[in-house]
Amino acid sequence: MTQPLVFIDGDQGTTGLQIHERLHGRTDLRLLTLPEADRKNPQRRAEAINASDIAILCLPDEPARQAAASVVNPKVRIIDASSAHRTDDGWVYGFPEMSEGQAERIAHAQRVSNPGCYPTGAIALLRPLVQAGLVPADYPAVVHAVSGYSGGGRASVQAYEDPEGARGPDFQVYGLGLAHKHTPEIQRHAGLSQRPVFVPSYGAFRQGIVLTVPLHLRLLPAGVDAAALHGVLQRHYAGAAHVQVVATEDAASHTHLDPQVLNGTNDLRLAVYGNAQHGQALLTAVFDNLGKGASGAAVQNLDLMLAALR
């Protein structure tokens, strides 16, 4: 077929700009871009979406719902980078490594919901362990994550990078009402029967995430230790191009985790740390919130969908 036409709706936002940058110079597709005067015109945007083979929505939730509802061309396929459809049964969850066959489902889906940045790390760690029975579905999970300030979108970036403005705080914890919109997404796709406690935060660095899930071994099935947890993750992600599970001997030598070490990549690095004496384990995920946590994941899903068109 001819080169597929890809339209990024919202290509001036943080995620949209990064997707555009990652697709720049590719010869296997055509990018449809609206003139600046038309970017906020609902009719012109709807026309562009319906003219494309694949549209990527980089919009706030409500505009993303409106954009998806504007599709009348049955051939148009959608990747939604917002959180509007992440728990919607009519949309395929865009985490290819999540489970066997998920990449194939994404490749042939009409509607794909790109995962959130924080949920990517939490689900990657918890889902294989819950499915394997090593972490009970009703485990009282606590997820803590520190993201670069770009996770807050354009307004947050401006708050930290505007030379004329007051610099944002070095560190801030938010979501204190325990009602963050990512929490239902984590619960659903991790396979948890109880709502986890999710504590997000921003640091004074542009991008990158460290996410941690502490576990009490006494609350897990008898005999489950850090080695068993690691083994399940290692087997689940064996052969995955973009997910690395740190070897046990390497993890034993770590003294800290750098949230920025995978910036600019679409990689996700998982590890298990344990203290048998205290009966505790720590699951960790490190990745770029603008890479595997947003634009990199969107391009990975786009490539799966494009391959199905050929």
Side-chain angles (χ1 to χ4, degrees):
M1 64 175 295
T2 59
Q3 292 171 308
L5 186 62
V6 176
F7 173 55
I8 305 171
D9 193 359
D11 63 359
Q12 296 305 301
T14 305
T15 298
L17 284 170
Q18 288 249 338
I19 293 173
H20 202 284
E21 181 179 321
R22 287 169 183 259
L23 297 179
H24 179 71
R26 286 185 47 165
T27 59
D28 60 328
L29 54 83
R30 294 171 293 148
L31 278 178
L32 172 59
T33 303
L34 289 178
E36 185 174 356
D38 293 336
R39 286 175 184 156
K40 294 186 178 181
N41 183 319
Q43 181 177 345
R44 289 290 293 116
R45 288 169 50 222
E47 291 172 355
I49 291 173
N50 282 282
S52 65
D53 292 296
I54 299 176
I56 306 176
L57 309 181
C58 301
L59 305 165
D61 287 3
E62 189 52 39
R65 293 187 185 96
Q66 294 169 1
S70 74
V71 176
V72 295
N73 180 352
K75 295 183 179 180
V76 175
R77 305 170 75 193
I78 302 290
I79 299 173
D80 182 10
S82 82
S83 62
H85 300 102
R86 291 176 184 159
T87 58
D88 191 316
D89 289 336
W91 291 65
V92 173
Y93 194 60
F95 187 1
E97 300 90 354
M98 183 175 75
S99 57
E100 186 177 357
Q102 192 68 10
E104 188 70 12
R105 285 187 281 273
I106 293 167
H108 297 283
Q110 286 295 111
R111 302 289 182 267
V112 173
S113 183
N114 219 50
C117 55
Y118 295 127
T120 295
I123 294 162
L125 290 166
L126 287 167
R127 184 183 176 100
L129 300 175
V130 171
Q131 287 188 325
L134 273 67
V135 172
D138 63 352
Y139 187 89
V142 177
V143 179
H144 179 266
V146 184
S147 170
Y149 55 75
S150 59
R154 183 184 297 180
S156 182
V157 171
Q158 289 176 341
Y160 279 89
E161 298 183 358
D162 184 356
E164 304 299 324
R167 180 174 169 81
D170 288 340
F171 181 79
Q172 56 182 314
V173 175
Y174 65 105
L176 302 182
L178 301 178
H180 194 284
K181 65 181 182 179
H182 285 341
T183 309
E185 178 184 352
I186 293 172
Q187 180 181 346
R188 177 187 176 102
H189 297 293
L192 298 170
S193 62
Q194 302 298 316
R195 183 183 177 93
V197 174
F198 173 47
V199 186
S201 57
Y202 291 141
F205 52 96
R206 194 175 201 279
Q207 61 197 83
I209 285 180
V210 166
L211 179 144
T212 61
V213 181
L215 298 174
H216 291 283
L217 298 180
R218 61 183 172 79
L219 300 181
L220 306 183
V224 174
D225 57 10
L229 298 169
H230 177 272
V232 167
L233 293 178
Q234 189 174 51
R235 289 189 293 274
H236 182 88
Y237 295 107
H242 295 290
V243 182
Q244 312 156 8
V245 179
V246 177
T248 301
E249 56 271 24
D250 292 334
S253 68
H254 291 174
T255 58
H256 66 279
L257 294 174
D258 179 359
Q260 303 178 84
V261 71
L262 293 178
N263 282 359
T265 77
N266 190 46
D267 293 340
L268 172 63
R269 183 174 296 165
L270 309 178
V272 179
Y273 303 90
N275 187 307
Q277 179 182 357
H278 299 309
Q280 297 172 336
L282 184 68
L283 312 177
T284 70
V286 178
F287 55 108
D288 184 352
N289 62 291
L290 298 181
K292 188 62 171 168
S295 58
V299 172
Q300 184 180 357
N301 289 326
L302 173 65
D303 285 338
L304 289 169
M305 296 167 77
L306 289 173
L309 289 174
R310 299 187 185 107

